[in-house]
Amino acid sequence: MDSNDEAFVGKAGIRYSYSENHVFGFTFSQAYRPGSVVPVAYESFIGSPQEPYDPEYLDNYEISYRGIFLDGKLRINANLFYLDWTDLQGFVFDPITFQASIENAGDAESKGGELEINFTPIEQLVIYAGLGYSDAKYVEFRSGLGNFDGNEFEGGPKENYVTGFNYQLDKFTIGANAEYTGSYFTDVQNTTMIPSRTVIDLDLTYRYNDNITVKVYADNLLDKRYLTSDFGFNRARVAGGPRDQPLGTLGDPRVIGLKTVINF
């Protein structure tokens, strides 16, 4: 790794308007993340020597569509993408030895799409839905801790769906939102998985005037208990607790609240 790494990255795109209400686009962009050396203090913390890692390069291809239907009542946005990494910088952690390192994964890729729909059948009602899909994996990743070729990326679900509505009646607006997050791995080894979950939110807003708004809300209405991260090792290693229990981060519990906004 050369501390004087330099790179040229670019971005180019084209847009085609089939009509005023239907627009297609294509974008190609590049990104770069410099390599680095690992600070001595970090090596002391994790208890293992670390090798320098090289720069990371990314090529991003995206096709987009924007459509308007039914005299503006229905709007659709859609994207398809393909991301191609070279020398991706990956974080590797061994929960048994506590050895951690940043290493160049070689090649990696992600392909998928996103869809957003907004529908306003009447002036007072907005219905929306969205979905996202991303198949991200390490094409080649050979580490001192193992062979991770073909493993999924850690930290992000393949599927994500959301739907909801907002309905306005005079000075009141009621809203509901449901979001599904698919399961995902939390480690490059693909041994620790966060289960999928669905969280529902509700809110009721009263607009007293242009300056005062009061909202009553319930986030995570059904009090769904879920993890957002799992560190993949049990409490016995760090706190003397019972074995085979995950150590991670819990998602927010049900929260019911009142919020007032006053503009001067």
Side-chain angles (χ1 to χ4, degrees), residues 216-236:
V216 179
Y217 62 90
D219 293 340
N220 193 2
L221 178 67
L222 303 181
D223 201 22
K224 177 71 174 180
R225 302 299 177 93
Y226 61 93
L227 289 172
T228 59
S229 66
D230 187 336
F231 302 131
F233 49 88
N234 58 58
R235 300 177 190 273

Side-chain angles (χ1 to χ4, degrees), residues 193-245:
M193 176 176 281
I194 297 294
S196 61
R197 61 182 182 269
T198 300
V199 176
I200 298 175
D201 302 329
L202 291 178
D203 64 78
L204 175 65
T205 302
Y206 174 68
R207 188 177 184 86
Y208 179 74
N209 56 35
D210 291 341
N211 298 321
I212 301 176
T213 301
V214 179
K215 175 185 285 189
V216 179
Y217 62 90
D219 293 340
N220 193 2
L221 178 67
L222 303 181
D223 201 22
K224 177 71 174 180
R225 302 299 177 93
Y226 61 93
L227 289 172
T228 59
S229 66
D230 187 336
F231 302 131
F233 49 88
N234 58 58
R235 300 177 190 273
R237 289 192 56 86
V238 295
R243 301 188 67 87
D244 300 324
Q245 292 189 11

